[in-house]
Amino acid sequence: MELLDGRYQIKKVLGRGGFGTTFLAEDTRSSSGKLCVVKQLQPSFSELYLLTKAKALFKREAETLGILGKHPNIPSLFAYFEENSEFYIVQEYIAGHTLEEELKPNQPLSEQQVIDIVRELLEILSFVHKYNVIHRDIKPTNIIRRKQNNQLVLIDFGSVKKVTKAKQKKGTIVGSYSYISEEQFNGKPNFCSDLYAVGIIGIQAITGIELKQMIGAGFPLTEEGEISWQKHAKVSDKFAYFLSKMVRHNYRYRYQSAKEALQALQEVVETNQIIATNPAKRNYKLSNLPTKMLILSTILVGVMSTLLIAYNIANRQQTLRELSLAGKLTESSLNKEDICQDFSDDFYCEKYLFSGKKGQKIIIEMFSKDFDPYLVLLKSDTNELAVGDNMSLFNWNAQIIVDLPQDGNYIVVARNAEIGASGTYTIRAIKKILE
């Protein structure tokens, strides 16, 4: 096979997504035959504005790795080049396994294991945020446990956002729904949005339950919109408070930086050590806090709770409701013979119809373990794209998060981005309304 850039020999495919293909390759100019990862931009769509967006994100990923790759727990950038009108990123290969493999359903980790995971991720984010970069897609599949030293490595910087002094406009919504915060959901992420994702991973690890299954598993939302998860975990009060603060519905009540969160986590560790050596001092940490700090903390918590309750009464808390579609909402079997039909020079598996009102926030998700799904939202009267800029693509699942632009009917086209692949998929939609 021809060498890329005259030096990189492709060994095998590591994965395919809506934006491209990732390969394992060998650097033939390295005396040791060093392995590396080559990402090729190969969008599975032909719309011009989506192609432009994909190229911009791809270039931004390369630029970000060039700056952040100096950190030992972030892949180094080796090269970024164009060849035969194709774009490539070459980066460090991290041998190991993803954190997803450690977070097994119904197998919660110990508190100390979760503390170690959260601390490593916060230390990485402390470095990332120092460069005014928000990752925006922190999830278990984007975290690798390096085989060489057992440390966590944060990967996939394809969704990063650079924070500038200019007023932030509502941007494209990216991220994985299970780990996305309210403000990121609304297109206005900040550093606390990354902390939220880390907190969700911590809750998932200590309960053994994925966030998307939490509501069904009995994780109700409080009147303030907070996740009630503690009764499903064996966890100390102090660490439970820490994780709950990481995932507060209103980002203003979370830790405001990775550094602040690390300091709070260290207090948890110190308290646990005191209790472990002398169980009789279980309340040691609280009893030894300076009196003024304890009183001030109590007052602040009371004031914030009162303000939040008052806000919710005045504005009505937004909640998630299932959206009924004209089509199957359960797993659907796809046969290879009828998996796709011709549609606008692309391929699709199924169409779904629903009625919506202008301004309604809609989440549409498609999951598959057999192929890479891709969603399109159309206006039923014109077959035009509803809001393309709010479309997000991810490996093994696809999402559209959008405020509907007008009253009327809409068509969801559930597409298969991999021609010839077959298998099963699940599709669902949720609308966010004011009660």
Side-chain angles (χ1 to χ4, degrees), residues 261-326:
L262 279 169
Q263 291 173 344
L265 186 60
Q266 182 58 32
E267 289 187 10
V268 174
V269 173
E270 291 173 359
T271 302
N272 287 350
Q273 289 173 345
I274 292 171
I275 294 173
T277 56
N278 190 346
K281 293 187 177 181
R282 181 169 298 275
N283 295 321
Y284 175 88
K285 198 66 181 179
L286 284 177
S287 63
N288 283 273
L289 281 173
T291 303
K292 290 184 179 179
M293 288 183 63
L294 184 58
I295 294 174
L296 181 59
S297 298
T298 303
I299 292 174
L300 285 175
V301 170
V303 170
M304 289 193 307
S305 299
T306 301
L307 289 175
L308 187 57
I309 292 172
Y311 173 83
N312 288 331
I313 291 174
N315 295 278
R316 306 297 294 174
Q317 181 65 36
Q318 290 186 322
T319 57
L320 294 176
R321 296 293 189 208
E322 289 293 328
L323 176 65
S324 178
L325 293 179

Side-chain angles (χ1 to χ4, degrees), residues 4-47:
L4 290 176
D5 201 29
R7 65 185 297 177
Y8 302 109
Q9 178 72 57
I10 300 299
K11 293 294 184 181
K12 65 176 181 179
V13 175
L14 293 177
R16 288 189 173 91
F19 285 102
T21 306
T22 303
F23 304 94
L24 179 66
E26 177 186 341
D27 184 355
T28 59
R29 295 186 188 177
S30 170
S31 58
S32 60
K34 180 170 61 177
L35 295 177
C36 54
V37 171
V38 175
K39 297 181 70 173
Q40 180 183 13
L41 179 63
Q42 287 182 318
S44 59
F45 38 79
S46 57
E47 293 89 347

Side-chain angles (χ1 to χ4, degrees), residues 334-341 420-422:
L334 301 177
N335 298 318
K336 198 165 187 177
E337 292 75 24
D338 62 4
I339 180 173
C340 294
Q341 301 175 38
S422 62

